[in-house]
Structures are given as structure tokens and as C-alpha cells.
Amino acid sequence: MTKLTLERSIQQNTFHLSDKTLTALTDIMYEQTVEAGSYLFWEGAQAIKEGHVKMTKSTSDGKDYILNMFSNGDLFGELSSFIDIKYSYNAQVMKDSVIGVIQQKDLEIILWQQGEIAVEFLKWTSLLNQITQSKLRDLTLHGKLGALCSTIIRMPNSYGEKLNGGIRITKKVKNGELGEYIGATRESVNRMLSDLRSKEIIGQENGHLVVYELDQLKDICHCENGPLEICRM
């Protein structure tokens, strides 16, 4: 039984879903409380349920890549034509969370009965695919530095706060975690960040990353200036 989860609040990837659709989904979900550090599912485990936070993919050489970070208000799920599947990634809860879970049978009924919700749902799945594809493109085409710059560019759209002369990232992200986004070691990330700081492209303030020269970061990773709903963590 495949399930879909929805957690509500600030940062949302539900741009293509109307209030009517979100209300309909909320009406059929049930709450599940999950503790920080718990795994909602492991890569290769039978598809049973999904939840909040960090989605990672493990490679054969032991590296973990962060595919997506889902925050409050985000909707996510792996829907392989509504068949019994094995998950292709891991999902780990990063803080205590209350997850809204939608069972597949309930979702199928809504999509079958209400065509406009089905169309919005199709747009939503397309959005998630575009987000993942854009991250993989940056990683494969522009190397570790380009992928790091791309990740930093996405951060203000998800956790940004304007300051005089820069954008402060409100969420503290450790260098090791940045490395998980691009498949690099913490030491490699340290060196690349140090180089960017020496060029005054980025800075640091009380443990928070500050972006000073967004355009220079875009030049390094050959940014295509995609829409904000795709350029996000």
C-alpha cells in the first residue's frame, strides 16, 4: 500500500494545487507523529508510508546524495503508477514532526471523481521531477563547484532573508550537509567555501551563510534562471 504525505506550514511546493485541492487532501489525511532522527523508510524497503524531511539516495560507492529537503507545507510522495513498489531513496526526519498521511485508495478515489484535482496533481508531480532533474543537471554538467554554487543559489529561495548588501540564510547548514547535496566530502566543501569567501562572493555571520554576489554564483554554475518554484532546496 503506497501512501502520500502532506505537512503544512511555511515553505510549500504546492504552487500548482488550489485551495480546493489542498482542502480535499487534508480532509482524507490522518496525522502521524514522528520523532527526530527516525527513518520513515529505507531505500529498497517496501513502500508503506512517507514523511517529512531529508530524502537521500545512496550510491554503490557509499556516498549519500540529498535529493530534496521537504519543509512545513510541502507535499511529496513516490507514486509509480499506483503499483506496489520499492522505494528508491531514504527518508529521514530531521526534527520532531506531525505528518499528514494519505492512503493510496483514498487518493485514487479523489483523482477518479474530480478531474480538475487530477490535472493539478499531474502538474505537481511534474514540478517535483523538474526540481530533481535541475539538481542532477547541475551536478553532472558543472562539477562539484558548480553544484555547490547552484545549491547556495537555491538556499535564499527557501531560507533567505535580505540584509544590506546581501542575503542571509536563516537556516544553519553544516558543511558536511552541503557535501551531501553534491556528493563531496566536508573537506572539499570547506575549500570551495573558503575560496568563495576570499573572493567576497559569500560570507558568514554568526554561523549563518550570507550571499553577497548572487550573479557571480550564477555565472559559475551557468544558471538558467529557472522559476523560483524549481530553484529551491
Side-chain angles (χ1 to χ4, degrees), residues 1 3 5 30 32 40-41 46-51 87 101:
M1 178 174 60
K3 297 181 183 178
T5 61
Y30 66 88
Q32 177 180 350
L40 294 171
F41 53 81
Q46 189 66 26
I48 298 176
K49 60 188 176 183
E50 294 184 59
Y87 284 115
V101 182

Side-chain angles (χ1 to χ4, degrees), residues 205-221:
E205 180 183 284
N206 298 323
H208 292 270
L209 189 67
V210 180
V211 178
Y212 295 123
E213 299 294 341
L214 191 61
D215 287 340
Q216 289 193 44
L217 291 174
K218 291 182 177 181
D219 288 341
I220 294 172
C221 67

Side-chain angles (χ1 to χ4, degrees), residues 4-209:
L4 183 83
T5 61
L6 172 64
E7 188 188 19
R8 291 187 162 279
S9 200
I10 304 172
Q11 179 190 323
Q12 298 190 14
N13 67 351
T14 52
F15 301 99
H16 295 303
L17 302 181
S18 65
D19 290 340
K20 176 183 176 181
T21 295
L22 289 174
T23 299
L25 294 176
T26 302
D27 288 343
I28 63 172
M29 71 172 58
Y30 66 88
E31 289 188 352
Q32 177 180 350
T33 301
V34 187
E35 294 182 355
S38 302
Y39 276 89
L40 294 171
F41 53 81
W42 291 88
E43 182 177 341
Q46 189 66 26
I48 298 176
K49 60 188 176 183
E50 294 184 59
H52 172 60
V53 209
K54 181 169 69 173
M55 297 290 186
T56 64
K57 175 68 177 178
S58 300
T59 62
S60 58
D61 59 357
K63 291 182 180 179
D64 286 328
Y65 289 82
I66 297 178
L67 297 179
N68 287 294
M69 288 288 286
F70 294 108
S71 187
N72 296 340
D74 282 337
L75 174 69
F76 58 96
E78 187 168 60
L79 309 174
S80 295
S81 303
F82 298 100
I83 60 176
D84 289 333
I85 59 171
K86 290 186 177 180
Y87 284 115
S88 56
Y89 45 75
N90 307 318
Q92 185 182 19
V93 177
M94 305 304 290
K95 64 179 181 180
D96 292 350
S97 304
V98 177
I99 307 298
V101 182
I102 302 173
Q103 297 192 57
Q104 177 181 316
K105 59 182 172 63
D106 296 328
L107 180 60
E108 285 180 335
I109 291 173
I110 284 184
L111 297 183
W112 178 70
Q113 290 179 338
Q114 303 189 49
E116 84 179 80
I117 291 181
V119 171
E120 290 183 11
F121 219 78
L122 180 62
K123 293 180 179 179
W124 168 75
T125 56
S126 176
L127 172 64
L128 287 191
N129 286 334
Q130 289 180 68
I131 292 172
T132 301
Q133 288 171 10
S134 67
K135 293 177 180 178
L136 292 176
R137 178 202 65 216
D138 293 337
L139 180 61
T140 57
L141 296 182
H142 307 304
K144 301 299 185 186
L145 178 58
L148 177 62
C149 290
S150 174
T151 301
I152 295 174
I153 290 170
R154 295 172 189 275
M155 294 175 74
N157 296 333
S158 298
Y159 318 112
E161 172 183 81
K162 287 188 176 181
L163 296 175
N164 291 331
I167 304 173
R168 178 177 178 268
I169 308 304
T170 58
K171 176 181 173 62
K172 289 186 177 181
V173 181
K174 295 181 180 179
N175 292 356
E177 186 176 342
L178 282 174
E180 288 186 70
Y181 279 102
I182 64 174
T185 64
R186 182 179 57 192
E187 291 75 18
S188 295
V189 172
N190 288 344
R191 287 193 294 270
M192 290 185 285
L193 290 177
S194 177
D195 183 56
L196 293 174
R197 282 196 295 268
S198 69
K199 296 175 181 177
E200 299 185 343
I201 295 175
I202 64 171
Q204 197 167 29
E205 180 183 284
N206 298 323
H208 292 270
L209 189 67

